[in-house]
Amino acid sequence: MARIRSIDGVGPQAVDGPWRLALTPPGAWAGPGDLSEAADWIPAPVPGTVAAALRDAGGWSESAPMPIHDQDVWYRTRLTQSGPVRLRFEGLATLAEVWLDGMPVLVSRSMFEAYAVEADLRPGAELGLCFRSLKAELDRPGKRGRWRPRMITPGSLRHVRTSLLGFMPGWCPDIDLVGPYRPITVEPLRRGLVEADLRATYDGDVGRLAARLRIDGHPASVTLHCAGRAVTLTESETDLFTGTLALPGVAPWWPHTHGTPHLHPVRVEIDGTTVDLGRTGFRSLSLARPFAEGLALAVNGVPVFCRGANWTPPDLVGLGTEDGAILVDLAREAGMNMLRVSGATLYPSPEFYDLCDTSGILVWQDLMLANFDYPHDAAGFAASLDREVSGILERTQLAPCLAVICGGSEVWQQAAMLGAPRTVWADAFCTETLPGLVAGTRPDLVVVPNSPSGGDLPFSPSAGCTHYYGVGAYRRPLEDARRAEVGFASECLAFANPPEPATLGQMGPADPLWARGIPRDRGADWDFEQVRDHYVALLYGVDPAALRAADPERYLELGRAAVAEVMEATFAEWRRARSPTAGGLVWFLRDLGPGTGWGVIDWTQTPKSGWYALKRAFRPVQVTLSDEGLSGLHLHVHNETARPVDLRLGLIFADRTGKVAARAERGITVDPRASLTLSSAEMLGRFFDATDSYRFGPRIHDLAHARLTDADGAVVAESFHFPGPRPVTPEAIGLRVEPVAGASVPTLRIGTGHLALGVSVRSSAARPCDSGFHLAPGTERLVRFPGCHRLPQGAIAALNSSESVRFGHDA
């Protein structure tokens, strides 16, 4: 059912307390009659978690989280409303019992189901909740699965519908998620709209909004409104009103990289009463090729290279949503057009989909199933999962951002890697039941059976979707990103990403904070810091272990730079016109806790080096360079926008001091949503050993630099190629910086005499628009500080520079 936002401007009221909670041993209190005022009752935020309430009371900390699953937790409050009402419980984690004035009204065994309870309230009615000990439930003997994951413990989690967050040692903090983590609301029972089934479709010219509204009260007039048009619905059977609103020429919804994510308000008038049903967008979604050849999506008939990251809860302790807008904004600013919610995490709040709708970001939604052999043949489990899937589809009926529904994360992979045959791991739920459920509510979505899946083995890189860690965890050379012929990487590029110095603050690089939170796969004899160190050695020719001991600050700088270089290089390869890759989603968007986690954004919402690298790699108008060996360098220019672009394309080969070996420049026009590829020989009009492949003599260049500029000479995009070792030994390179007078936004002009590698722009007071970029010899870059009223203080440095240049009012 589509969400009812408000009726004549009045929406559901939150039951916001004051709430109190108390903890007891499992089973100590059987029901509300056993509650003791002598217990240690503390204030509790609702929506919220027990951990957040205990933290607020000084009894819990993220650095040393105490267990909660081994206890029962009781919540209580008194309601101010009275009369016939509907109580809604949007999320109860996990084994929950609900009482109203001492009478049981609800029992829930799923964290992922929403419930509604109708009641006739007396003034001051008491609402009580009990969250029974999850540990006690997990300790009960149960049927074992055909396989047992190593990453997640205990195995009995396969029977319980709860988040796996907190149950993966080395993967995320051990935080027990307990409590009413989603809103509890109350609304008066009134005659009117009971259910709303709405479906938006788009055929490339005409949008259509089909409606099936269940309305009691025998209304005389029901009118559906959207995009400035209206249609009168007819009563097709008792209390059921149906109709379709046709919207020729309606502005369609696009991912923001390819167009404007147009949204249109939806409302229904019932005998003069207005019911707000939110907004929707009109778009079509299809496969651009057979799934077996690699997942590839087309939006409104246009193939879209999907790039982004895997989403994690903005607040792992309280499961609040306040920071969600910040993270979605950062994803959009970085050029991401897809976010995946992994089956090892938690369904996001409805507000998340609203944010992605507005921002033009596609959503890949896993079901909350991961790694385990789930008991799909158990009637109770199957019924609960059916309600769960139906609930998420109904709550997102009008969300154009939702693109992919996936049967879970690494369930098929886990079984296949343990040697199980296809008859075991290719379960009927993912291949038959799930597509049927989706077709009944959201037939516009693409259904993926599992992530990964699609080939002879579910983790085959070139088929379906894959979790590609060839470049990354498996420490393959950068060329493996091409050799693997990845179809679609729903996970990729996991590193232990160091936070920026501003996040580490005054603690310094030797403080253990930056060495905390380093991810490790359970059972592996390596961690993801070692993965990062491998690429530091590969790219810069240094011994990371020795450097860490001798100069930890330099060690961190090279680590940040290596992550950035690997991410940019991988996505440059995957975006080539001849690449089979149609998408890549980095593992993770944000860290789950303090330290050096997988996220490209740290736990304080501050971008890391990987975020800046992705922002450069994901530009809708982009130029990249690829090493084609004896065929020289190829320049790839992409224009994903809806309009043709006229640009100047320049190519320079030079040594690190700026001595030019060869150069060329030409004007180009790139059609809308098209790509253009030119070879270095075509650009230069002659032979030049651009990739140092022929080696008829000593190499005379240290870098190739491609640059796109617009009609005003402003840099649109640029790319670098290094045919030999990157020169990272610090020396004087002529690094300089000055403020740009009269700029509408505080802006720096950063220049260099020689090649500047990994130029970092650091300020503890503000975030620059870019950092970690290269500067070609003799060039400049403008760096802005959006949202600032004046230029903050900070410093500019480069990996190969012995100079550090201050900027700001005290520089």
Side-chain angles (χ1 to χ4, degrees):
M1 174 180 170
R3 283 189 293 155
I4 298 175
R5 306 301 181 99
S6 68
I7 299 175
D8 272 347
V10 179
Q13 294 180 332
V15 178
D16 53 5
W19 288 88
R20 295 184 297 156
L21 72 77
L23 286 76
T24 74
W29 294 344
D34 298 327
L35 301 188
S36 170
E37 292 299 332
D40 185 14
W41 292 92
I42 63 172
V46 176
T49 64
V50 180
L54 293 174
R55 181 182 58 186
D56 293 346
W60 188 96
S61 71
E62 277 184 274
S63 60
M66 78 172 204
I68 301 171
H69 285 318
D70 59 352
Q71 302 172 78
D72 286 353
V73 185
W74 288 80
Y75 280 73
R76 62 197 300 198
T77 191
R78 291 199 176 273
L79 302 175
T80 58
Q81 298 86 354
S82 61
V85 299
R86 180 179 293 111
L87 285 163
R88 295 191 184 274
F89 302 87
E90 301 296 338
L92 303 171
T94 290
L95 305 177
E97 301 167 3
V98 180
W99 284 271
L100 191 58
D101 277 338
M103 298 297 295
V105 295
L106 175 66
V107 175
S108 169
R109 294 185 57 82
S110 173
M111 183 178 183
F112 307 129
E113 289 187 50
Y115 302 91
V117 174
E118 294 183 2
D120 192 355
L121 295 183
R122 69 170 181 83
E126 183 173 67
L127 182 61
L129 315 174
C130 179
F131 296 90
R132 296 297 184 184
S133 167
L134 184 58
K135 183 178 185 301
E137 176 72 13
L138 296 175
D139 287 345
R140 299 181 198 278
K143 184 179 178 181
R144 297 185 61 176
R146 291 166 293 178
W147 65 86
R148 183 180 289 265
R150 299 184 68 183
M151 185 179 81
I152 310 167
T153 59
S156 50
L157 279 164
R158 65 188 284 264
H159 298 287
V160 181
R161 298 307 298 137
T162 193
S163 175
L164 301 178
L165 292 168
F167 292 99
M168 293 171 279
W171 201 89
C172 70
D174 296 332
I175 296 173
D176 291 352
L177 305 181
V178 183
Y181 71 101
R182 291 277 157 77
I184 300 175
T185 61
V186 59
E187 59 191 38
L189 282 178
R190 64 181 104 184
R191 300 176 74 84
L193 183 62
V194 177
E195 293 182 359
D197 181 4
L198 300 166
R199 299 181 187 183
T201 58
Y202 183 67
D203 64 8
D205 180 51
V206 179
R208 290 181 173 83
L209 185 62
R212 292 172 55 86
L213 307 183
R214 184 74 61 182
I215 305 171
D216 64 13
H218 308 292
S221 172
V222 180
T223 306
L224 181 68
H225 297 260
C226 183
R229 294 184 175 91
V231 65
T232 298
L233 305 184
T234 59
E235 191 170 13
S236 56
E237 59 183 68
T238 302
D239 293 340
L240 180 65
F241 291 78
T242 62
T244 298
L245 176 59
L247 301 165
V250 69
W253 187 94
W254 287 96
H256 74 97
T257 49
H258 289 65
T260 301
H262 292 286
L263 293 172
H264 308 279
V266 179
R267 60 187 173 88
V268 60
E269 285 191 16
I270 305 171
D271 288 343
T273 298
T274 300
V275 182
D276 178 10
L277 296 174
R279 299 177 300 173
T280 194
F282 296 89
R283 59 107 182 102
S284 66
L285 186 70
S286 59
L287 292 178
R289 63 189 177 199
F291 181 69
E293 297 176 11
L295 176 66
L297 299 182
V299 178
N300 301 330
V302 175
V304 171
F305 182 84
C306 298
R307 68 284 197 152
N310 281 257
W311 177 263
T312 54
D315 172 15
L316 189 58
V317 177
L319 298 182
T321 62
E322 291 81 3
D323 294 330
I326 296 172
L327 292 171
V328 171
D329 284 348
L330 286 171
R332 188 183 194 281
E333 184 181 340
M336 299 182 186
N337 61 18
M338 176 174 274
L339 293 170
R340 171 179 173 241
V341 183
S342 163
T345 58
L346 177 70
Y347 292 113
S349 68
E351 289 75 20
F352 169 76
Y353 298 97
D354 292 342
L355 291 167
C356 291
D357 283 343
T358 301
S359 298
I361 295 177
L362 297 164
V363 175
W364 171 311
Q365 177 65 67
D366 278 7
L367 303 186
M368 293 301 112
L369 302 167
N371 294 74
F372 284 109
D373 176 21
Y374 288 98
H376 293 295
D377 55 348
F381 183 92
S384 177
L385 186 57
D386 185 286
R387 293 192 300 269
E388 179 182 314
V389 175
S390 298
I392 190 69
L393 292 172
E394 289 170 1
R395 290 192 296 274
T396 57
Q397 275 187 3
L398 293 178
C401 68
L402 186 58
V404 174
I405 288 289
C406 175
S409 174
E410 297 190 350
V411 177
W412 288 15
Q413 172 177 290
Q414 182 76 83
M417 282 191 162
L418 292 174
R422 176 180 286 270
T423 53
V424 170
W425 49 259
D427 61 87
F429 172 78
C430 289
T431 57
E432 300 171 15
T433 306
L434 179 60
L437 289 172
V438 174
T441 306
R442 287 291 304 265
D444 60 307
L445 303 181
V446 168
V447 179
V448 171
N450 222 262
S451 182
S453 64
D456 296 332
L457 292 170
F459 43 86
S460 299
S462 60
C465 61
T466 189
H467 292 181
Y468 174 74
Y469 293 115
V471 175
Y474 306 141
R475 307 182 207 183
R476 304 286 294 167
L478 299 186
E479 293 79 13
D480 192 71
R482 176 180 294 202
R483 187 181 303 119
E485 296 186 328
V486 173
F488 191 110
S490 44
E491 292 181 15
C492 62
L493 297 173
F495 300 93
N497 297 316
E500 294 295 288
T503 295
L504 297 178
Q506 301 302 314
M507 291 172 283
D511 188 275
L513 177 62
W514 65 267
R516 286 166 46 190
I518 294 171
R520 175 190 292 270
D521 283 340
R522 190 166 182 259
D525 61 358
W526 50 270
D527 62 30
F528 284 83
E529 183 174 68
Q530 292 169 285
V531 172
R532 185 189 72 228
D533 286 352
H534 169 81
Y535 290 97
V536 170
L538 180 70
L539 293 174
Y540 306 124
V542 300
D543 179 350
L547 184 61
R548 175 174 178 157
D551 190 349
E553 187 170 357
R554 178 70 170 169
Y555 166 78
L556 287 177
E557 285 297 306
L558 291 182
R560 294 183 185 103
V563 167
E565 290 236 26
V566 172
M567 289 187 175
E568 279 198 79
T570 301
F571 277 102
E573 167 59 40
W574 286 349
R575 289 186 71 184
R576 286 184 310 114
R578 296 178 64 182
S579 169
T581 310
L585 307 176
V586 170
W587 187 252
F588 283 152
L589 180 65
R590 177 193 179 270
D591 288 341
L592 285 167
T596 302
W598 279 311
V600 295
I601 300 171
D602 70 29
W603 75 99
T604 71
Q605 324 297 356
T606 301
K608 304 185 197 178
S609 64
W611 181 86
Y612 289 105
L614 296 177
K615 184 177 179 181
R616 293 188 291 271
F618 291 168
R619 289 176 287 219
V621 179
Q622 172 74 313
V623 61
T624 60
L625 292 166
S626 65
D627 187 334
E628 303 297 333
L630 298 180
S631 296
L633 285 182
H634 282 188
L635 295 83
H636 309 278
V637 183
H638 309 288
N639 173 28
E640 294 177 329
T641 71
R643 297 177 180 175
V645 291
D646 296 317
L647 301 165
R648 298 293 297 178
L649 175 62
L651 176 64
I652 293 179
F653 297 90
D655 68 13
R656 71 185 69 179
T657 69
K659 183 178 179 181
V660 174
R663 75 165 74 226
E665 184 174 312
R666 65 167 62 184
I668 59 171
T669 297
V670 188
D671 291 335
R673 297 168 183 145
S675 295
L676 173 69
T677 297
L678 298 169
S679 69
S680 53
E682 187 176 359
M683 283 289 293
L684 296 172
R686 64 180 179 86
F687 170 74
F688 180 78
D689 193 3
T691 58
D692 195 29
S693 297
Y694 292 90
R695 302 184 182 180
F696 295 150
R699 177 169 48 81
I700 59 174
H701 69 289
D702 296 317
L703 72 143
H705 175 222
R707 174 183 275 194
L708 282 178
T709 55
D710 63 17
D712 297 325
V715 176
V716 175
E718 54 188 338
S719 182
F720 291 81
H721 175 264
F722 301 98
R726 289 159 175 77
V728 295
T729 302
E731 59 183 11
I733 62 172
L735 194 64
R736 63 187 185 276
V737 61
E738 64 179 8
V740 176
S744 58
V745 174
T747 303
L748 293 175
R749 177 177 285 107
I750 303 170
T752 184
H754 297 177
L755 169 67
L757 282 173
V759 178
S760 59
V761 184
R762 299 276 161 74
S763 172
S764 60
R767 176 173 60 83
C769 68
D770 200 3
S771 184
F773 52 85
H774 303 320
L775 270 180
T779 64
E780 297 178 338
R781 170 75 69 85
L782 297 180
V783 174
R784 298 172 178 83
F785 289 87
C788 290
H789 299 294
R790 68 171 183 169
L791 192 66
Q793 291 180 285
I796 306 293
L799 294 178
N800 62 328
S801 175
S802 58
E803 309 135 320
S804 178
V805 186
R806 302 286 304 173
F807 64 84
H809 53 277
D810 290 335

